[in-house]
C-alpha cells in the first residue's frame, strides 16, 4: 500500500523525512493552511492512504476546514476529496497530559473541534494504548464510507518509550460495517426498474469515490437508461455518451431537471440528495418510485423518502446489477429527453470572449488532463461546459463551496499526476484567497495553467444581488475605492483600475503571466502556457463584467 505523510514546520519535517528515507514513504512539507487541500488532491488512481502530522497550535484550526470536506463529497462536492477511495488519518500534537485543561499556551481541544466533522476523533492519554488506537483509527477511516479520523497525541505520550507491538486485527465495539448487498432489496429494485416506462439514473460522487465509472457506463449502456449527475457525480459516465443528459440542480440543464420531474423511476446511486438538487423536497421526482443505493445508511431517506433502500458500496452494487440487468424498451422516453437536450441546450449566446468559449477551448486542446475549479461562477460554468471522459477529470468544492480551493487543488493534482496537464479555472476573487500558494507551485516547478475569469466582481454574489435584490451591489465590486460614489450598481468606463495586476503578480513569483482580452486569442494563450514546462502560468481572461450563470 502506498502512503504519503504530510507534515508542517521544521520539527515534524526532520522526523518525518528521516523516517521516510528509511521506509520508502514519501513526505511532503506543506507550507501553508491549504496544504490539506494539496494533500488530498495528490490523487489520480494511486493514492490509497494518507496521514497528516501537525504540531499543536492553531494550525489545526486551519486544517479543520479541509477535514470537513470528505464528509460531504457525494455530490454537492465537498471541499477536498472527490477523486479516490481515499481515507485520511490526522495525527495532531497536543500539550502534555498534565497541562490539558489549564489554558496552556497553544492548547487546543482538537477532539472537541473535529468530533462533529470527522468520522472519529480520539485523544491517546496512555502510551500503552497507542498501538491499538492507531490500528482503530485506520480501520475506521478506511471501512464503510471512507472518511477522516483525528488522533490527538499529547507530548508526553509521544516521547514515552513502550512496546513496538502492533495488532494485526482489531474489533471496534458498536462499529461493524456491513459490506454485503441485500439481494432481496436489489432484486426488488431491479423489478421496479424493469417495469419502468420513464426511468433515469441519478448519479452522485459516491460512484466516483467507489471507482465505478466503467461499471456505471456499462450498466447505463446495457439498460439504455439515461444518466443524470449531480455536480459531484459529473464524469461517472463520459459527457459525450449519448445517454448522458446533464447535471441536475439549480444551474443544471433543462433536460436533466425535466427528466427527473417526469420520470416514473428514479434510480439514485451515491448521492445524498442535497438541497442544491432537490429544491422543494415535496415536489422532487413527485411521480417517481425512488431507489437509493448508498454506502452510508444514514444518508438514505434522510431528506427524500425512498421506496427501495440498499446500503452498499456503489461499485459492488453496480457490479451486482450488471449480472442481472438487461435492456429496457424505453425508446420513446429517450427520444423525448434527446429532444429536450436539442431544443434547450445550456449555452451563452453573447458575442465576444465568454466563459463557454474559454472552456470549450480547454476541451479541444487538453485531452489528458485534470481540471480544478475554484468556487463561484467560474465553478458553475465549468460544471456546465467541461467535457469529461476516462482521461479527463474535474475536481471541485461542492459541499462547503470554499473559495480558494482551485489553486491548492491544482498543485496537489499536479504532484500526484506529473504527466497530466493540470488546469485551474478560478475567478479573480477566489484566486486571491490562496494566492500565496503560487510560491509553492514555483518552488516545486509545477507547470500548472491557471485560468482566471476576471469580471472584476465577486461574480456569483453580484449575480444574486442583480437578480434578487434590485442591483443593490454591496461588497462585491473588486474595483471599489473609498472615494467611489455610493449606490453604484453597474460598471462604467470611469471605474478605477482593477487591483491586483495578476500579470505583474505572476511575474513577481517567478511565474509566467498572460492577459487575454479578445476571443480570437484564447487558444493561442492556452497553447503558449502548455509549452511552459517548468513554472506555472497565469492566464487572465477579461470577461464581461455582468456575465451570468444561466439557468438559475
Amino acid at each position: 500500500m502506498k502512503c504519503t505523510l504530510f507534515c508542517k514546520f521544521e520539527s515534524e519535517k526532520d522526523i518525518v523525512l528521516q523516517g521516510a528515507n528509511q521506509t520508502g514513504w514519501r513526505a511532503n512539507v506543506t507550507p501553508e493552511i491549504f496544504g490539506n487541500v494539496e494533500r488530498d488532491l495528490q490523487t489520480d488512481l494511486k493514492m490509497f492512504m494518507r496521514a497528516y502530522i501537525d504540531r499543536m497550535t492553531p494550525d489545526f484550526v486551519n486544517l479543520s476546514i479541509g477535514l470537513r470536506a470528505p464528509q460531504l463529497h457525494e455530490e454537492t462536492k465537498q471541499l477536498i476529496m472527490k477523486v479516490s477511495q481515499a481515507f485520511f488519518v490526522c495525527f495532531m500534537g497536543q500539550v502534555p497530559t498534565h497541562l490539558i485543561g489549564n489554558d496552556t499556551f497553544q492548547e487546543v481541544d482538537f477532539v472537541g473541534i473535529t468530533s462533529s466533522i470527522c468520522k472519529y476523533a480520539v485523544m491517546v492519554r496512555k502510551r500503552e494504548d497507542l498501538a491499538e488506537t492507531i490500528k482503530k483509527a485506520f480501520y475506521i477511516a478506511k471501512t464503510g464510507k471512507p472518511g477522516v479520523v483525528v488522533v490527538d497525541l499529547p507530548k508526553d505520550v509521544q516521547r514515552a518509550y513502550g512496546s513496538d507491538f502492533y495488532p494485526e486485527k482489531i474489533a471496534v465495539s458498536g462499529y461493524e460495517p456491513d459490506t454485503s448487498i441485500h439481494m432481496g432489496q436489489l432484486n426488488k429494485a431491479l423489478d421496479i426498474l424493469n417495469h419502468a416506462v420513464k426511468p433515469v439514473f441519478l448519479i452522485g460522487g459516491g460512484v466516483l469515490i467507489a471507482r465505478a465509472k466503467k461499471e456505471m457506463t456499462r450498466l447505463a449502456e446495457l439498460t439504455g437508461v439515461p444518466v443524470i449527475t449531480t455536480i459531484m457525480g459529473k464524469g461517472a459516465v463520459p459527457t459525450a455518451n449519448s445517454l448522458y443528459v446533464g447535471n441536475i440542480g439549480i444551474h443544471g440543464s433543462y433536460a436533466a431537471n425535466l427528466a427527473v420531474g417526469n420520470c416514473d423511476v428514479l434510480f439514485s446511486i451515491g448521492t445524498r440528495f442535497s438541497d442544491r438538487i432537490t429544491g422543494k423536497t415535496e415536489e422532487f421526482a413527485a411521480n417517481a418510485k425512488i431507489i437509493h443505493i448508498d454506502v452510508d445508511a444514514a444518508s438514505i431517506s434522510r431528506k427524500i423518502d425512498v421506496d427501495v433502500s440498499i446500503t452498499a458500496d456503489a461499485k459492488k452494487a453496480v457490479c451486482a446489477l450488471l449480472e442481472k440487468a438487461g435492456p429496457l424498451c424505453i425508446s420513446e422516453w429517450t427520444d423525448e429527453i434527446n429532444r429536450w437536450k436539442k431544443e434547450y441546450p445550456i449555452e451563452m449566446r453573447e458575442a465576444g470572449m465568454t466563459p463557454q468559449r474559454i472552456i470549450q477551448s480547454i476541451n479541444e486542446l487538453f485531452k489528458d488532463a485534470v481540471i480544478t475549479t475554484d468556487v463561484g461562477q467560474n465553478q458553475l460554468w465549468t460544471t456546465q461546459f467541461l467535457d469529461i471522459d476516462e482521461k479527463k477529470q474535474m475536481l471541485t468544492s461542492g459541499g462547503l463551496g470554499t473559495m480558494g480551493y482551485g489553486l491548492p487543488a491544482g498543485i496537489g493534482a499536479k504532484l500526484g499526476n506529473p504527466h497530466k496537464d493540470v488546469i485551474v479555472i478560478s475567478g479573480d476573487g477566489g484566486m486571491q484567497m490562496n494566492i500565496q500558494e503560487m510560491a509553492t507551485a514555483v518552488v516545486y516547478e509545477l507547470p500548472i495553467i491557471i485560468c482566471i475569469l476576471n469580471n472584476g466582481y465577486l461574480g456569483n454574489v453580484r449575480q444574486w444581488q442583480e437578480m434578487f435584490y434590485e442591483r443593490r451591489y454591496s461588497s462585491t465590486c473588486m474595483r471599489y475605492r473609498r472615494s467611489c460614489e455610493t449606490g453604484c450598481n453597474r460598471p462604467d468606463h470611469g471605474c478605477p483600475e482593477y487591483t491586483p495586476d495578476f500579470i505583474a503578480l505572476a511575474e513577481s513569483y517567478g511565474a509566467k503571466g498572460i492577459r487575454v482580452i479578445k476571443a480570437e486569442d484564447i487558444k493561442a494563450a492556452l497553447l503558449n502556457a502548455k509549452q511552459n514546462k517548468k513554472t506555472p502560468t497565469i492566464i487572465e481572461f477579461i470577461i464581461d463584467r455582468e456575465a451570468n450563470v444561466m439557468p438559475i
Side-chain angles (χ1 to χ4, degrees):
M1 181 176 291
K2 188 171 184 178
C3 177
T4 298
L5 297 179
F6 290 80
C7 58
K8 297 182 70 172
F9 305 98
E10 294 303 316
S11 57
E12 291 84 7
K13 180 182 75 172
D14 292 340
I15 295 171
V16 171
L17 290 181
Q18 291 178 33
N21 288 336
Q22 295 175 13
T23 62
W25 289 2
R26 177 178 179 182
N28 284 358
V29 183
T30 57
E32 268 297 339
I33 68 169
F34 263 69
N36 55 304
V37 180
E38 296 162 16
R39 162 211 81 210
D40 279 329
L41 273 302
Q42 278 203 38
T43 70
D44 177 29
L45 298 174
K46 56 193 176 187
M47 307 287 284
F48 291 87
M49 181 172 74
R50 295 182 179 82
Y52 186 95
I53 300 175
D54 204 349
R55 67 175 184 179
M56 53 195 174
T57 67
D59 297 312
F60 181 77
V61 180
N62 295 326
L63 175 67
S64 64
I65 299 171
L67 297 184
R68 176 65 174 125
Q71 311 307 316
L72 296 174
H73 57 359
E74 278 84 358
E75 90 269 19
T76 46
K77 203 141 190 294
Q78 59 159 339
L79 172 60
I80 312 289
M81 290 193 289
K82 169 189 188 291
V83 188
S84 70
Q85 192 176 4
F87 59 89
F88 178 50
V89 179
C90 180
F91 296 95
M92 301 307 304
Q94 182 58 276
V95 299
T97 53
H98 69 279
L99 294 178
I100 292 173
N102 295 317
D103 288 333
T104 305
F105 175 64
Q106 293 192 333
E107 177 190 355
V108 176
D109 181 5
F110 300 143
V111 173
I113 289 174
T114 61
S115 292
S116 65
I117 59 174
C118 290
K119 197 173 180 183
Y120 179 62
V122 62
M123 178 186 289
V124 183
R125 290 181 173 269
K126 297 179 180 180
R127 171 62 180 82
E128 54 265 33
D129 296 335
L130 184 59
E132 183 177 343
T133 302
I134 293 175
K135 183 70 175 182
K136 181 190 296 186
F138 280 95
Y139 174 71
I140 292 175
K142 70 182 181 180
T143 53
K145 178 182 177 180
V148 173
V149 171
V150 171
V151 180
D152 193 7
L153 298 174
K155 185 176 181 180
D156 54 324
V157 174
Q158 296 180 42
R159 294 171 65 91
Y161 288 98
S163 171
D164 62 355
F165 171 76
Y166 189 71
E168 292 185 7
K169 296 182 180 181
I170 193 163
V172 181
S173 177
Y175 179 77
E176 295 180 2
D178 186 1
T179 59
S180 63
I181 300 173
H182 193 296
M183 295 309 298
Q185 289 293 89
L186 191 77
N187 290 332
K188 185 177 179 180
L190 270 172
D191 184 62
I192 292 174
L193 181 64
N194 289 334
H195 288 87
V197 178
K198 296 181 176 182
V200 295
F201 283 121
L202 175 60
I203 306 303
V207 170
L208 299 176
I209 295 168
R211 303 167 183 269
K213 293 191 294 184
K214 291 181 180 179
E215 292 79 6
M216 189 63 237
T217 301
R218 285 171 52 203
L219 181 62
E221 292 174 345
L222 173 64
T223 59
V225 175
V227 175
I228 294 166
T229 59
T230 65
I231 284 179
M232 296 307 295
K234 182 166 182 174
V237 299
T239 53
N241 191 299
S242 61
L243 291 169
Y244 180 66
V245 182
N247 289 336
I248 189 178
I250 184 172
H251 296 294
S253 73
Y254 179 88
N257 283 290
L258 202 58
V260 169
N262 287 273
C263 69
D264 61 357
V265 171
L266 181 67
F267 202 125
S268 60
I269 306 175
T271 174
R272 58 189 174 85
F273 291 112
S274 161
D275 61 291
R276 291 288 162 151
I277 70 169
T278 62
K280 296 179 179 179
T281 55
E282 64 273 14
E283 297 178 6
F284 180 76
N287 302 315
K289 291 184 177 180
I290 300 177
I291 300 162
H292 191 183
I293 298 176
D294 199 281
V295 73
D296 183 12
S299 294
I300 298 177
S301 290
R302 181 171 60 186
K303 299 175 183 176
I304 299 293
D305 291 330
V306 303
D307 297 277
V308 179
S309 63
I310 302 172
T311 303
D313 173 80
K315 186 168 186 174
K316 292 180 179 179
V318 172
C319 288
L321 289 168
L322 281 168
E323 295 178 2
K324 295 175 174 288
L328 276 62
C329 298
I330 53 172
S331 57
E332 291 185 10
W333 171 236
T334 54
D335 288 344
E336 185 174 18
I337 291 177
N338 287 332
R339 178 173 58 81
W340 293 336
K341 288 170 61 178
K342 184 176 181 180
E343 292 181 2
Y344 305 103
I346 295 179
E347 58 182 351
M348 303 183 76
R349 299 178 179 177
E350 298 85 354
M353 187 167 60
T354 63
Q356 181 178 1
R357 290 187 175 91
I358 295 168
I359 296 167
Q360 286 177 338
S361 296
I362 292 173
N363 289 335
E364 294 175 23
L365 299 177
F366 299 90
K367 301 301 183 182
D368 187 12
V370 179
I371 293 87
T372 76
T373 81
D374 214 272
V375 167
Q377 287 180 316
N378 66 89
Q379 173 191 40
L380 301 172
W381 283 317
T382 302
T383 60
Q384 288 180 335
F385 301 120
L386 184 67
D387 292 338
I388 303 178
D389 54 28
E390 62 277 359
K391 292 186 177 182
K392 191 182 296 183
Q393 59 191 129
M394 178 186 70
L395 307 176
T396 193
S397 170
L400 291 181
T402 307
M403 290 178 68
Y405 171 90
L407 176 56
I411 291 171
K414 188 64 177 179
L415 286 170
N417 304 271
H419 302 298
K420 280 180 173 284
D421 293 315
V422 174
I423 300 97
V424 177
I425 299 177
S426 181
D428 51 301
M431 183 63 187
Q432 296 184 67
M433 295 291 180
N434 275 302
I435 189 67
Q436 75 282 349
E437 295 299 342
M438 281 297 296
T440 306
V442 170
V443 167
Y444 279 91
E445 299 181 336
L446 302 177
I448 57 177
I449 300 172
I450 303 152
C451 300
I452 300 175
L453 308 184
N454 190 347
N455 56 11
Y457 280 106
L458 300 178
N460 206 35
V461 182
R462 184 215 57 79
Q463 179 175 337
W464 280 64
Q465 290 174 342
E466 173 192 344
M467 301 182 73
F468 304 113
Y469 297 95
E470 299 177 347
R471 284 182 175 270
R472 292 194 293 271
Y473 291 172
S474 176
S475 304
T476 50
C477 180
M478 303 296 283
R479 295 191 179 191
Y480 171 79
R481 299 291 188 277
R482 190 175 182 179
S483 58
C484 288
E485 295 181 7
T486 59
C488 175
N489 64 359
R490 64 178 63 248
D492 60 38
H493 295 296
C495 291
E497 289 296 317
Y498 183 93
T499 186
D501 182 335
F502 283 112
I503 307 308
L505 191 59
E507 292 171 350
S508 74
Y509 277 107
K512 186 174 183 178
I514 303 171
R515 181 173 290 119
V516 180
I517 59 175
K518 296 180 180 179
E520 55 265 31
D521 296 329
I522 295 173
K523 290 184 179 179
L526 290 168
L527 289 171
N528 187 341
K530 196 174 183 179
Q531 299 304 312
N532 193 8
K533 302 299 183 182
K534 277 288 187 179
T535 58
T537 302
I538 286 180
I539 308 177
E540 181 185 25
F541 294 97
I542 308 299
I543 64 172
D544 178 52
R545 294 199 66 191
E546 294 188 297
N548 286 334
V549 181
M550 302 299 288
I552 186 171

